[in-house]
């Protein structure tokens, strides 16, 4: 059942060739139906991303056109398929799409959880360095060194354009896998800058500025990030 729907580019999709086989239609007729759908959408000024033109090679080595489609594309196409047998085939497809989308969600959740676990380790490493830095700054005469925990955290979030979403979740539990990866790297960077500065006996304010500059420079190298709005 599940072979009629596959995962491509992190999306559950099927092909016009598979649809033709399942619904026992001529592939050229399925192609024509999709061409008409795409034309209708374009005439209505609707941008469509549900059908992607592709090619396949038959057993004789000849190349033919086909379409790849997501669940929405299949739903649009299948509206024109009627009859008791067609209904059964539609239900078969729905089950296959549901299965693949559950599989994709599980993969995404696993990847996020692994990154979140790694972020917790990185955060602890940074916090240990911050504790040492607070003592270091206090020894140099700082009267408010304890605020560096919050200052460094806020500085990092700002550099990475991380803003907490509304709701009970912490910021770290509301950002995506890539953003968690960026945050973890930034926190290890801060740890390294602070440890290096303290080992060299640099004034604590200068160490903080070096950490800020390093994170800002790192953030500038990253691809465009999705700004999470409250």
């Amino acid at each position: 059942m599940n072979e009629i729907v596959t995962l491509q580019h992190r999306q559950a999709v099927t092909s016009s060739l598979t649809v033709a086989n399942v619904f026992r239609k001529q592939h050229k007729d399925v192609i024509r139906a999709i061409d008409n759908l795409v034309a209708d959408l374009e005439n209505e000024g609707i941008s469509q991303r549900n059908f992607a033109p592709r090619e396949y090679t038959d057993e004789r080595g000849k190349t033919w056109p086909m379409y790849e489609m997501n669940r929405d594309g299949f739903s649009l196409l299948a509206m024109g398929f009627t009859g008791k047998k067609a209904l059964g085939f539609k239900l078969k497809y729905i089950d296959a799409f549901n299965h693949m989308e559950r599989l994709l969600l599980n993969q995404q959740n696993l990847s996020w959880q692994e990154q979140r676990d790694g972020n917790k380790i990185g955060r602890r490493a940074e916090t240990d360095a911050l504790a040492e830095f607070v003592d270091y700054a206090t020894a140099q005469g700082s009267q408010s060194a304890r605020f560096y925990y919050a200052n460094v955290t806020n500085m990092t979030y700002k550099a990475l354009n991380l803003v907490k979403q509304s709701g009970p979740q912490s910021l770290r539990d509301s950002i995506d896998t890539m953003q968690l990866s960026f945050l973890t790297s930034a926190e290890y960077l801060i740890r390294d800058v602070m440890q290096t500065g303290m080992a060299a006996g640099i004034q604590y304010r200068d160490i903080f500025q070096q950490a800020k500059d390093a994170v800002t420079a790192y953030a500038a190298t990253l691809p465009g990030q999705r700004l999470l709005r409250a």
Side-chain angles (χ1 to χ4, degrees), residues 13 22 25 32 38 53 57 102 110-111 113 127 135 163 178:
V13 300
V22 171
K25 294 180 177 291
R32 185 183 304 112
V38 171
T57 303
R102 283 195 300 269
L110 178 60
S111 177
Q113 189 59 56
T127 300
D135 291 341
V163 180
M178 182 176 291

Side-chain angles (χ1 to χ4, degrees), residues 147-195:
F147 294 114
Y148 275 113
Y149 288 105
N151 290 344
V152 169
T153 298
N154 292 335
M155 173 265 291
T156 306
Y157 290 169
K158 182 177 180 180
L160 297 178
N161 283 333
L162 299 178
V163 180
K164 185 182 181 303
Q165 291 178 312
S166 59
Q169 288 183 313
S170 69
L171 182 142
R172 292 165 191 265
D173 287 332
S174 66
I175 59 179
D176 62 31
T177 304
M178 182 176 291
Q179 289 169 318
L180 276 171
S181 175
F182 294 160
L183 180 57
T184 301
S185 296
E187 289 173 337
Y188 276 120
L189 177 61
I190 290 169
R191 179 202 64 178
D192 293 344
V193 170
M194 287 189 164
Q195 288 179 338

Side-chain angles (χ1 to χ4, degrees), residues 15-25 27 30 89 93:
S15 72
S16 56
L17 191 63
T18 304
V19 169
N21 289 335
V22 171
F23 284 85
R24 300 171 189 173
K25 294 180 177 291
H27 186 230
V30 175
F89 296 147
Y93 253 108

Side-chain angles (χ1 to χ4, degrees), residues 74-88:
F74 170 77
S75 297
L76 287 170
L77 176 63
M79 285 180 185
F81 300 160
T82 59
K84 290 184 178 180
K85 288 185 178 180
L87 177 60

